[in-house]
Amino acid sequence: MLGASVLALPTGDLGVVIERATGSVLLVAHSQPRIIKRLEGLGDLSHASVVFSRDQRYAYLFGRDGALTQIDLLTQQVKKRVAQATNSIGGAVSSDGKLVVAQNYAPGGIKAFDAETLALVADIPAQPGATGAPSKVVGLADLPGRRFAYALFDANALCLTDLSNLAQPKTECHLAGKQPYDGLVSNDGRFYLAGLFGEDGIAFYDDLYPERGVQKILAGYGRGEQPLPVYKMPHLRGWAVAGDFAFLPAIGRHEVLVVDTRTWQEVGRVPVKGQPVFAVARPDGREVWVNFAFPDNGWVQVIDRKTLAVTHTFSPGEAVLHLEFTPKGDQVWVSARDSNAVVVYDTSTKTEVARLPARAPSGIFFTYLAALFGR
Amino acid sequence: MVAKQSNLAIVHFAAQAIALLALPIAHAGAGDVISPAPTSERQRAIVHLVRQDCGACHGMTLQGGLGPPLTPEALAEKPTESLVATICQGRAGTPMPPFAPFLSEDEARWIVERLKQGFPSE
């Protein structure tokens, strides 16, 4: 594939930035922050997300229109594109790297594809919700051993699907709480948490003790207060587990909840500028960077892991939608949709080091995420 | 109804001014004050809000996401005033938040009318 005309770039330096409004993505490199190439014609990317193949050659892009696009980062071209649903929200790659799995809103369920060819290998519709239609799937995450955890927004359930035998996929679902909106798996692929919109609490599953089923943590964290309106759902994927602490969004509160991951009890809460959307731990676990829902989406704040206090507040641009760290966290890339820019900060000096032009950028994904559970 | 039918017949951009003039008449009952349509600058801001921020849940193309689709087909049977109320006050028991802090009732009605016709792209 590597003809003389193709510039070979080490894929470990690459990433993908979604340009949500124009159906395009930017292929970028992070050692020297720069744009390599724009790929266009990729459909509705207004809530697109990306996962990477185990060897970091392919980016799998999931579009709102249900399309799954396999981008070859070596040739910087689209390799394959399949219309696999009518409304998709993301995906995950199995721990052995063989399967890429889509989570779909419509028709609700998950679908597994051969990671090389994108041939469909398993189709698992979700349980129906109150309307009778298969539930929307949220929070898909890979677990060890070709297994996947996810939650059902309309069916109030947390599900585990085992694809180790593709001829006989096994799925079991547990009641999890009202309206799970997203989920995450801990860095070691052990704890799966689903945030609940419809009640104060977080559904919790420990994969080391599956017999314990689904429990609830942080029940009643709102202390009975009237919640504030939520203008954008938090995104748990990429949420912060930093050392012994997990940082979780309080729904309807301008707070980040801090939980001790040894006991899963709350140890603190950090007042912040707005409804948190993403809170991402710097890879060294010493800071957590947070962005916010409309109308507070011009801000980014930094929480110190030791003091659990906000230490820095930035305004990188208008409508900050996402942030992603370089592999060891020396820099963070921040997308500012309405400023048409991706802003790169040095995380030690907290200074801006680059500003890359991008059309209404949203998600930022670097290839090293291929090596992490749940990313 | 007259206003709505004439709106449907109009291709959106060039005729937007006409449509806007016609709109308040459809809602002017006894005692109503005919409110001015949003200025063109405000219209652009509102369209941006709907596409980008409502789009967080309903999809930028309004085909639906965690929230239901807001296409003309999806909204055809729903009464305008109840949709206006949903925008302004939110809907209890669902994630739909109230937009009254950011939109007037007239602006919400302007949005609903346009959603029912096929929403402008920018």
Side-chain angles (χ1 to χ4, degrees):
Chain A
M1 288 301 288
L2 286 177
S5 63
V6 176
L7 176 65
L9 289 165
T11 60
D13 199 34
L14 301 184
V16 177
V17 175
I18 309 293
E19 295 185 311
R20 67 193 300 276
T22 48
S24 51
V25 302
L26 298 175
L27 306 186
V28 296
H30 54 70
S31 288
Q32 298 290 332
R34 65 197 166 110
I35 295 165
I36 308 288
K37 187 177 181 181
R38 173 178 280 126
L39 295 177
E40 305 197 83
L42 301 175
D44 181 354
L45 300 187
S46 61
H47 195 292
S49 66
V50 168
V51 293
F52 295 96
S53 63
R54 175 191 171 112
D55 60 9
Q56 303 184 17
R57 174 170 183 171
Y58 299 121
Y60 302 101
L61 169 70
F62 300 88
R64 174 78 89 174
D65 53 9
L68 165 57
T69 305
Q70 181 184 29
I71 298 168
D72 186 338
L73 297 174
L74 286 182
T75 62
Q76 296 139 35
Q77 286 173 344
V78 171
K79 181 187 175 215
K80 185 134 193 194
R81 193 166 148 74
V82 294
Q84 58 88 24
T86 56
N87 198 323
S88 182
I89 212 69
V93 171
S94 59
S95 54
D96 63 0
K98 304 289 189 204
L99 305 175
V100 55
V101 178
Q103 58 172 333
N104 296 325
Y105 280 177
I110 64 169
K111 285 184 180 176
F113 301 86
D114 181 294
E116 186 64 34
T117 65
L118 296 195
L120 179 70
V121 292
D123 182 356
I124 295 142
Q127 296 175 6
T131 64
S135 174
K136 300 179 183 95
V137 173
V138 298
L140 178 71
D142 49 300
L143 297 179
R146 260 201 191 182
R147 292 177 307 127
F148 295 85
Y150 50 99
L152 306 181
F153 177 73
D154 308 298
N156 300 329
L158 191 160
C159 299
L160 300 158
T161 291
D162 184 340
L163 295 174
S164 55
N165 178 0
L166 286 174
Q168 278 185 310
K170 281 185 227 152
T171 298
E172 61 175 74
C173 296
H174 307 262
L175 273 182
K178 287 182 196 151
Q179 295 169 311
Y181 63 85
D182 201 2
L184 71 88
V185 68
S186 59
N187 304 342
D188 56 3
R190 174 177 168 186
F191 301 111
Y192 180 81
L193 282 70
L196 301 174
F197 179 82
E199 61 183 283
D200 284 344
I202 288 170
F204 173 85
Y205 167 76
D206 182 349
D207 198 44
L208 200 58
Y209 298 98
E211 67 278 9
R212 292 178 187 168
V214 175
Q215 301 163 279
K216 204 164 288 172
I217 61 168
L218 296 173
Y221 65 71
R223 299 178 286 206
E225 293 163 14
Q226 187 66 28
L228 299 165
V230 177
Y231 291 98
K232 180 173 177 156
M233 287 286 182
H235 287 48
L236 292 180
R237 171 177 283 238
W239 264 75
V241 177
D244 295 329
F245 289 169
F247 293 76
L248 298 165
I251 276 278
R253 294 168 212 283
H254 295 177
E255 291 174 330
V256 172
L257 307 174
V258 188
V259 181
D260 187 323
T261 59
R262 294 163 299 191
T263 61
W264 294 98
Q265 299 293 309
E266 182 183 327
V267 292
R269 43 182 78 196
V270 185
V272 288
K273 278 264 187 197
Q275 168 71 56
V277 175
F278 281 98
V280 189
R282 207 169 71 178
D284 61 8
R286 294 167 208 205
E287 289 176 352
V288 174
W289 289 52
V290 187
N291 77 327
F292 305 100
F294 173 87
D296 301 306
N297 54 4
W299 301 104
V300 168
Q301 291 194 301
V302 181
I303 298 170
D304 180 80
R305 153 74 178 74
K306 261 192 336 205
T307 62
L308 301 186
V310 169
T311 55
H312 296 83
T313 300
F314 302 91
S315 40
E318 293 175 56
V320 171
L321 293 190
H322 194 211
L323 37 109
E324 194 74 83
F325 288 93
T326 51
K328 291 186 182 175
D330 60 308
Q331 294 181 341
V332 63
W333 289 41
V334 178
S335 56
R337 182 193 69 203
D338 292 352
S339 296
N340 293 304
V342 173
V343 188
V344 182
Y345 288 95
D346 179 312
T347 59
S348 54
T349 61
K350 309 290 186 291
T351 52
E352 182 181 322
V353 293
R355 186 169 280 254
L356 306 176
R359 304 174 190 149
S362 55
I364 301 168
F365 306 90
F366 293 133
T367 52
Y368 75 91
L369 301 173
L372 306 181
F373 281 107
R375 303 299 309 275
Chain B
M1 253 354 258
V2 173
K4 192 175 174 201
Q5 280 168 3
S6 67
N7 285 350
L8 281 172
I10 300 166
V11 183
H12 77 263
F13 241 102
Q16 208 164 44
I18 300 169
L20 288 168
L21 287 173
L23 240 186
I25 297 166
H27 303 286
D32 281 359
V33 177
I34 297 176
S35 51
T39 62
S40 61
E41 187 184 1
R42 179 68 182 151
Q43 284 177 33
R44 274 195 300 278
I46 292 172
V47 169
H48 186 79
L49 175 83
V50 171
R51 290 270 172 201
Q52 304 299 330
D53 294 305
C54 303
C57 282
H58 297 284
M60 194 182 64
T61 56
L62 309 174
Q63 300 292 321
L66 206 58
L70 303 179
T71 53
E73 305 75 57
L75 300 181
E77 304 298 314
K78 301 200 190 305
T80 295
E81 288 312 307
S82 87
L83 294 171
V84 171
T86 296
I87 291 174
C88 292
Q89 293 148 39
R91 183 168 285 175
T94 79
M96 179 67 190
F99 279 83
F102 313 106
L103 295 166
S104 71
E105 202 172 299
D106 286 326
E107 289 171 338
R109 193 171 291 111
W110 185 85
I111 290 170
V112 171
E113 293 286 352
R114 276 168 187 66
L115 286 171
K116 288 191 164 193
Q117 296 164 12
F119 204 71
S121 50
E122 54 186 45

